[in-house]
Amino acid sequence: MRLSKSFFKKLFRRKITIIGAVILVIIISMALLSPLIAPYDPMKINPIDRLQKPNSTHWFGTDNFGRDIFSRIIYGARITVLSGFGVVIFSIVFGVILGSLSGYFDTLGMFIMRIIDVVMAFPPIMLALALVAILGQGLINVIVAVGAVYLTRTARITYGLTLKIRKDAFVEAAVAEGAGNGRVLFLHIIPNLISPIIVQATFTFAFALLQMAALDFLGVGIPPQIPSWGNMLSSSQDYITRAPWLLLFPGIFIVITVLSFNLFGDALRDRLDPKFKDEL
Amino acid sequence: MLAYTFRRLLTIIPTLLIASILIFSFMHLMPGDPAAVMLGTNATPEQVEKLRVQLGLDRPIYVQFATWLQEAFRGDLGDSIFFQSPVLSVIQNRAETSIFVATFSMLIILILGIPIGVISAVKYNTLLDQLTMGFAMLAASIPTFWLGLNLMILFSVNLDWLPSSGFPSVLESGNLNNLKYLILPCITLAAPNSALIIRLTRSSMLDVMKEEYVKTARAKGLKESIVILKHIFRNAIISIVSALGFTFIALLSGTVVTETVFSLPGVGRLVVQSVLRRDYPVIQGIIFVVVILYVFINLLTDLSYAFLDPRISYE
């Protein structure tokens, strides 16, 4: 896939895509530069300042331990982005391996895809909860649990595309030239799957953020001492009537991050998938 | 149609078998001895051994699977460690809430999602279409629990219009007034899923609009409403129906969070409580029931699919 100048020009033709991309850059910068941006230590307990409304000192107010919400949101971006990328990498790597192998080797495909189909019948959050129950809590385990849910979607898409591509003339030519299965799969088929995989990765990131926030809220996600946005919402439940800002700000950040990924994913799909080029 | 139904019924067997193996493996994937994990660190070796025997973990794995499968299809999903009663009756006690929540949410999705999607497609590329799509994307980006908590603050705490939590049984009391407890949970659950149906309806309609027979219908001079309803919508609905099975699963998934937010005594909240209590037989049982439901809903969807488009049953 060549990302030419005209590709980016067409990608950012719609203003809404630019807005989505700018928000994503801001969120990722927040994650990378948290110690430089955050005005306070996000973990520092300060009982005198507890449950302060948003003011000039604490822009987003403080929580029940007197911790600065703005600083916690900035640090929360770090864990949110990190775990989102973790899910994307896990689901894409294993999904592409399983999907492409299934699409290329018929017998193996029949076996693996039947299992994938059945796993897709499990409600996503129930499956993630069941996996967390087996693996135990912790950042890595949550990434694996949520990643396993989305791995099935990636595998399904990759399987369908591999079935289609393997019949293309360039693949048949490579086989005729004596290329082995590994070479055909890794040098000829998988590189041609990159566009739909990038689109899938964007949507996976958005869904994963929602799913992980839900797990945090249910108390089975990332350990509560880590200031993820989901954990901040979870701990705000007891104070929602007295301190609604505890609920408001982390929620808004989740919404705008997910929305930006969805907008960006839509724009990418429109550009990379010929089927959608004429739509919207 | 009969032959198609029979062929479709046969495909259920391998699906259910694989699902059974996966669900059965669930307890055996746990690191360490499942009985010791379930009872926690304070359990004595005698208690652990007793539970091992009770769960049949002392027998060979294939015997365990055969026994579990046989009992599961007879309706015996084992006993809950926390409730000390059969898993199926624990699920039955919580089923009313979840069935009501999922059904009413589905109705909201169908009543709102499909017409809005149709209008958006008909008004393609207008301000109305762009606004609708914008709202749909926003709705799909909002965490369910956050939406629920905000609705609770607005309608229960500030305006005092609707109850904020709980659900007294309608079937036991016969009091239909209790359904008001489900208004906020159903709106919360329906919002993100409506967004998906709106987008799907719109894109299916747009796909069909490009077909030659639609141009022919217009060229014949048919009224636009007839072209939209009889020629476009009638054909677009097939892909919408096929998505309803997935929507149902999304709703079941959503009940886990929604029931927890609104403290509803449903199956979704039971899953969360069982994970926190390490009541594995209940988690296993709920997933088994849900997967069976899903398989049969998908079967019904496929059959209705064949009914809507008779060509399918001849393929």
Side-chain angles (χ1 to χ4, degrees):
Chain A
M1 185 189 60
R2 259 180 76 234
L3 297 180
S4 62
K5 230 179 187 179
S6 69
F7 170 83
F8 285 108
K9 209 174 158 187
K10 282 175 186 163
L11 179 66
F12 292 111
R13 198 176 49 189
R14 280 185 284 161
K15 279 181 192 148
I16 198 85
T17 315
I18 301 173
I19 297 171
V22 168
I23 293 172
L24 286 185
V25 170
I26 293 172
I27 301 287
I28 292 169
S29 308
M30 272 167 60
L32 292 172
L33 307 170
S34 315
L36 299 174
I37 306 171
Y40 298 94
D41 177 352
M43 311 296 268
K44 195 182 172 195
I45 294 171
N46 193 356
I48 300 165
D49 284 342
R50 73 188 295 266
L51 296 178
Q52 278 198 23
K53 281 182 182 172
N55 55 51
S56 57
T57 330
H58 299 285
W59 294 352
F60 291 174
T62 59
D63 67 6
N64 51 316
F65 292 109
R67 296 175 296 196
D68 181 55
I69 298 292
F70 181 63
S71 304
R72 288 178 70 76
I73 282 181
I74 289 171
Y75 273 91
R78 178 172 277 197
I79 195 72
T80 308
V81 170
L82 184 76
S83 47
F85 273 120
V87 171
V88 168
I89 292 168
F90 183 89
S91 62
I92 296 291
V93 168
F94 289 102
V96 169
I97 291 174
L98 288 176
S100 55
L101 286 174
S102 305
Y104 195 68
F105 300 106
D106 288 332
T107 320
L108 185 72
M110 247 174 64
F111 180 70
I112 294 177
M113 292 323 290
R114 286 299 74 73
I115 296 176
I116 295 277
D117 283 347
V118 172
V119 176
M120 283 177 85
F122 291 47
I125 199 131
M126 284 193 193
L127 179 60
L129 276 169
L131 289 172
V132 170
I134 294 168
L135 301 167
Q137 271 180 272
L139 180 60
I140 302 288
N141 290 348
V142 172
I143 289 174
V144 171
V146 178
V149 172
Y150 292 103
L151 171 163
T152 55
R153 274 95 179 138
T154 311
R156 250 258 144 256
I157 292 168
T158 314
Y159 170 72
L161 291 168
T162 308
L163 277 181
K164 216 168 111 186
I165 291 176
R166 75 171 202 191
K167 286 181 186 139
D168 280 354
F170 70 92
V171 176
E172 282 175 0
V175 175
E177 274 180 6
N181 288 333
R183 192 177 168 82
V184 171
L185 207 53
F186 289 100
L187 288 182
H188 296 278
I189 294 180
I190 293 179
N192 278 289
L193 301 175
I194 287 177
S195 302
I197 289 170
I198 291 174
V199 175
Q200 176 64 13
T202 330
F203 290 121
T204 300
F205 201 111
F207 288 127
L209 286 194
L210 289 177
Q211 191 89 280
M212 282 192 294
L215 288 178
D216 290 348
F217 174 77
L218 297 172
V220 291
I222 296 166
Q225 63 274 21
I226 301 175
S228 70
W229 294 340
N231 274 340
M232 290 173 73
L233 286 174
S234 177
S235 58
S236 75
Q237 283 180 87
D238 297 335
Y239 302 93
I240 54 170
T241 48
R242 282 165 64 198
W245 58 90
L246 294 182
L247 179 71
L248 189 68
F249 294 113
I252 287 176
F253 271 83
I254 294 177
V255 174
I256 57 170
T257 310
V258 174
L259 188 61
S260 309
F261 270 102
N262 279 334
L263 287 172
F264 199 64
D266 257 11
L268 270 177
R269 189 186 52 193
D270 295 347
R271 286 312 329 146
L272 297 173
D273 186 343
K275 191 178 160 241
F276 293 94
K277 265 187 182 164
D278 298 328
E279 277 189 28
L280 286 163
Chain B
M1 185 73 189
L2 202 68
Y4 173 76
T5 310
F6 182 70
R7 277 202 312 272
R8 186 61 188 77
L9 271 170
L10 281 181
T11 62
I12 288 181
I13 298 168
T15 310
L16 283 181
L17 190 68
I18 296 171
S20 309
I21 294 170
L22 290 176
I23 295 166
F24 171 78
S25 316
F26 169 69
M27 205 185 283
H28 296 270
L29 284 170
M30 254 186 280
D33 182 357
V37 174
M38 282 183 221
L39 290 174
T41 44
N42 295 330
T44 61
E46 290 75 29
Q47 285 172 315
V48 173
E49 193 48 41
K50 197 180 158 199
L51 185 62
R52 275 179 62 81
V53 175
Q54 189 191 325
L55 295 172
L57 297 171
D58 54 335
R59 287 177 291 172
I61 192 100
Y62 58 89
V63 177
Q64 286 182 46
F65 176 65
T67 314
W68 178 81
L69 194 64
Q70 206 180 6
E71 285 174 353
F73 280 101
R74 275 208 312 251
D76 180 3
L77 296 170
D79 289 333
S80 158
I81 293 163
F82 180 81
F83 294 100
Q84 295 290 324
S85 57
V87 169
L88 201 64
S89 73
V90 173
I91 297 173
Q92 275 169 348
N93 291 338
R94 307 285 196 111
E96 180 196 345
T97 312
S98 300
I99 291 170
F100 273 135
V101 172
T103 311
F104 291 139
S105 303
M106 192 67 154
L107 284 175
I108 296 174
I109 291 167
L110 294 177
I111 293 168
L112 283 181
I114 296 178
I116 293 176
V118 170
I119 294 168
S120 197
V122 172
K123 301 281 176 191
Y124 173 63
N125 231 355
T126 60
L127 182 67
L128 182 70
D129 175 38
Q130 283 165 359
L131 279 177
T132 312
M133 284 301 101
F135 275 113
M137 192 169 270
L138 181 67
S141 305
I142 297 177
T144 323
F145 62 92
W146 190 67
L147 178 66
L149 289 169
N150 279 303
L151 289 176
M152 195 194 282
I153 291 180
L154 181 64
F155 292 104
S156 306
V157 180
N158 293 341
L159 298 170
D160 199 19
W161 287 356
L162 292 164
S164 65
S165 60
F167 172 58
S169 169
V170 169
L171 297 181
E172 275 175 26
S173 65
N175 185 0
L176 286 174
N177 222 11
N178 290 346
L179 290 175
K180 70 181 178 199
Y181 284 83
L182 301 182
I183 295 175
L184 289 182
C186 291
I187 294 172
T188 305
L189 189 53
N193 294 296
S194 302
L196 299 177
I197 291 293
I198 290 173
R199 284 169 69 96
L200 180 74
T201 307
R202 178 182 176 271
S203 67
S204 310
M205 290 278 293
L206 287 177
D207 275 349
V208 178
M209 277 174 178
K210 289 174 194 156
E211 297 288 340
E212 291 297 324
Y213 61 80
V214 175
K215 287 177 194 161
T216 313
R218 284 205 176 103
K220 277 196 303 192
L222 284 180
K223 265 174 43 184
E224 188 60 19
S225 56
I226 294 180
V227 176
I228 291 167
L229 291 175
K230 279 187 82 176
H231 293 260
I232 304 173
F233 182 66
R234 179 88 201 270
N235 288 292
I237 200 150
I238 294 167
S239 46
I240 301 164
V241 167
S242 71
L244 293 181
F246 284 108
T247 308
F248 174 75
I249 282 296
L251 287 178
L252 284 178
S253 201
T255 58
V256 173
V257 176
T258 314
E259 288 175 2
T260 308
V261 172
F262 292 96
S263 305
L264 302 180
V267 178
R269 191 162 164 233
L270 179 64
V271 178
V272 182
Q273 290 168 332
S274 303
V275 168
L276 295 171
R277 289 171 190 148
R278 296 180 173 230
D279 197 346
Y280 293 97
V282 174
I283 307 171
Q284 208 176 22
I286 293 173
I287 293 178
F288 185 74
V289 171
V290 168
V291 170
I292 288 188
L293 268 177
Y294 174 77
V295 167
F296 280 96
I297 283 185
N298 245 3
L299 172 75
L300 288 179
T301 312
D302 278 4
L303 294 181
S304 62
Y305 206 82
F307 175 74
L308 287 167
D309 184 355
R311 284 172 303 180
I312 290 166
S313 54
Y314 295 110
E315 275 172 14

